[in-house]
Amino acid sequence: MSGPVIVLVGPMGVGKSTVGQLLAERLGTGYRDTDDDIVAAQGRTVAEIFLDEGEPAFRALEKDAVRDALAAHTGVLALGGGAVLDPDTRALLKDRSVAYLSMDVEEAVKRTGLNAARPLLAVNPRKQWRELMDARRHLYEEVATVVVATDGRTPEDVTRAVLDALELKEA
């Protein structure tokens, strides 16, 4: 099967972009983020799309962006935190090398500050983050080849753990 060498999934703020770029460097390949693809195509931020058009419109854009990236990109691919909500997307991830980067709520607070730039966390962010994770954790686990906890680890440590878990050799 062609497509990405690794797909990263996990909640917002877990470090998919940072770890993805490190993985791409170590593997001597390209890095792509579907949220960046959407922002580039739409000419506005994810938060603006959520505010202007709502979550369903964003999820439709996300589904298309993920499908296109899975078909065209051969390096490391990071998916937006909610991409796994779509059953067609989960089906496309079957039989691929998918690393679920996990973290607990306290780590999320430290990393993101659970700030208002995150549209799904605008009101009572701790409670909303927990609810998001309750709704998504099993979906991340369903698509994952490996699960790598990021709590208290540096991006370099997480990168090494992903490479080891997937038995990938550095370039």
Side-chain angles (χ1 to χ4, degrees):
M1 177 185 301
S2 65
V5 66
I6 302 173
V7 179
L8 299 176
V9 299
M12 60 189 91
V14 76
K16 295 182 299 281
S17 297
T18 303
V19 170
Q21 289 168 6
L22 287 169
L23 283 166
E25 261 176 48
R26 301 264 172 82
L27 294 169
T29 190
Y31 169 76
R32 186 166 172 181
D33 181 313
T34 56
D35 279 352
D36 292 344
D37 291 350
I38 294 165
V39 168
Q42 296 296 308
R44 47 201 171 131
T45 67
V46 170
E48 289 169 334
I49 297 167
F50 263 82
L51 289 171
D52 295 346
E53 298 177 42
E55 185 174 358
F58 174 78
R59 294 294 172 211
L61 293 170
E62 181 175 57
K63 179 178 179 173
D64 291 344
V66 170
R67 185 191 61 239
D68 294 348
L70 286 171
H73 186 64
T74 57
V76 176
L77 179 65
L79 304 189
V84 297
L85 295 169
D86 183 79
D88 295 334
T89 294
R90 292 194 307 276
L92 289 173
L93 293 173
K94 191 172 174 13
D95 302 322
R96 296 186 184 270
S97 291
V98 179
Y100 162 32
L101 304 184
S102 69
M103 69 178 167
D104 69 21
V105 71
E106 295 313 316
E107 189 78 8
V109 169
K110 272 191 270 182
R111 290 191 193 177
T112 67
L114 295 181
N115 62 33
R118 310 271 185 182
L120 291 177
L121 300 177
V123 180
N124 195 347
R126 265 178 211 260
K127 179 175 181 275
Q128 287 179 305
W129 194 87
R130 281 194 184 95
E131 288 172 0
L132 278 177
M133 285 308 297
D134 288 347
R136 296 177 182 179
R137 185 175 293 107
H138 70 285
L139 301 175
Y140 293 137
E141 290 169 351
E142 174 188 321
V143 301
T145 310
V146 298
V147 178
V148 176
T150 64
D151 303 284
R153 294 169 107 173
T154 66
E156 292 76 16
D157 291 342
V158 174
T159 300
R160 168 60 37 218
V162 171
L163 291 170
D164 290 348
L166 291 172
E167 299 178 0
L168 294 169
K169 301 283 181 247
E170 293 186 39

